[in-house]
Amino acid sequence: AQSVSQHNHHVILSEAASLELGCNYSYGGTVNLFWYVQYPGQHLQLLLKYFSGDPLVKGIKGFEAEFIKSKFSFNLRKPSVQWSDTAEYFCAVKKTGANNLFFGTGTRLTVIP
Amino acid sequence: EAQVTQNPRYLITVTGKKLTVTCSQNMNHEYMSWYRQDPGLGLRQIYYSMNVEVTDKGDVPEGYKVSRKEKRNFPLILESPSPNQTSLYFCASSLFGGTGRFPGTDTQYFGPGTRLTVL
């Protein structure tokens, strides 16, 4: 079955710590990859996306993600988190040419000032 | 301002009372979709629409209906709501759906969400 796994359910960090959130998927073939963020009480916003080309993708607010095809992974990173990064982060995967976007279960990030 | 809007934002209803949640986008997007978000389950797709009069089931379509009579609107209909449909619902749209020929055109933009409680 197709699936998207986010193994970290809740991550707690102090400000200025480095962040890495894992995302693995189980589809074969070409995929499009996304990270969305949901701040408390708000709707999902696109952080970054990968379609093709350079596997290291830079997004908004200093986030980046690296697509490692051999590992079926698309981990999200930020070198130094801020309190304002407290939010829930969702990884999403879509087979190229398909219609369905599959989401992981989300990782809640809490940044302590 | 380019956006996806949903109404109502909050709704409390009782079992069996038909309801409709509206979704509208002003970006001339062809593709629209409905998701529900539940704790520990992430977002799951309910229905999607590739264009006017073209709709299809997502992963969890049971108990829901949709229609796409106009390009900008994609209402979600619960004919007979039940408590297990209590959830947070998101509408999303993208320029196109599915095509890999135009990278980025299938990036989905989300509405603000509708929190539904069925008693």
Side-chain angles (χ1 to χ4, degrees):
Chain A
Q2 301 168 339
S3 69
V4 182
S5 299
Q6 292 181 246
H7 301 294
N8 312 108
H9 298 295
H10 190 188
V11 173
I12 302 173
L13 295 173
S14 299
E15 273 194 318
S18 64
L19 169 72
E20 181 160 1
L21 301 182
C23 174
N24 289 89
Y25 62 94
S26 64
Y27 309 114
T30 310
V31 293
N32 304 142
L33 300 157
F34 307 82
W35 275 98
Y36 283 88
V37 60
Q38 186 177 31
Y39 297 104
Q42 296 188 27
H43 61 283
L44 278 82
Q45 301 171 41
L46 183 67
L47 261 184
L48 49 78
K49 60 190 178 189
Y50 170 82
F51 283 84
S52 62
D54 189 345
L56 184 62
V57 180
K58 294 195 184 299
I60 60 171
K61 304 187 180 187
F63 286 90
E64 64 179 31
E66 185 175 12
F67 170 47
I68 303 180
K69 190 174 182 180
S70 61
K71 294 186 178 180
F72 297 88
S73 70
F74 190 54
N75 291 356
L76 181 71
R77 300 195 292 248
K78 186 171 184 179
S80 176
V81 295
Q82 300 171 313
W83 174 79
S84 58
D85 292 325
T86 294
E88 190 151 17
Y89 292 81
F90 292 92
C91 179
V93 178
K94 192 173 79 67
K95 277 186 161 180
T96 303
N99 298 314
N100 286 21
L101 184 63
F102 292 93
F103 283 83
T105 53
T107 297
R108 192 194 316 168
L109 172 65
T110 301
V111 180
I112 302 169
Chain B
E1 180 190 352
Q3 59 183 350
V4 180
T5 56
Q6 295 179 226
N7 281 293
R9 295 289 312 280
Y10 302 91
L11 178 60
I12 301 174
T13 188
V14 296
T15 299
K17 186 176 181 182
K18 181 179 178 180
L19 66 91
T20 299
V21 184
T22 64
C23 172
S24 183
Q25 50 88 10
N26 62 0
M27 297 171 278
N28 202 35
H29 283 176
E30 291 190 357
Y31 181 90
M32 298 185 76
S33 181
W34 275 103
Y35 296 87
R36 60 178 289 174
Q37 182 182 13
D38 301 290
L41 297 176
L43 281 84
R44 294 176 292 167
Q45 192 174 45
I46 303 170
Y47 268 94
Y48 65 91
S49 169
M50 294 291 288
N51 212 327
V52 176
E53 302 291 3
V54 181
T55 64
D56 207 347
K57 295 177 181 178
D59 297 320
V60 288
E62 294 76 21
Y64 304 95
K65 284 174 57 177
V66 292
S67 70
R68 188 90 182 274
K69 293 184 171 58
E70 307 164 279
K71 200 171 188 179
R72 63 182 292 126
N73 296 323
F74 189 46
L76 180 69
I77 303 154
L78 284 73
E79 294 271 4
S80 182
S82 61
N84 64 13
Q85 292 178 298
T86 292
S87 187
L88 179 58
Y89 291 86
F90 288 101
C91 180
S93 73
S94 62
L95 185 56
F96 300 123
T99 178
R101 291 188 297 148
F102 306 106
T105 59
D106 55 352
T107 299
Q108 293 188 26
Y109 297 90
F110 286 78
T114 295
R115 187 167 291 282
L116 172 65
T117 301
V118 184
L119 303 174

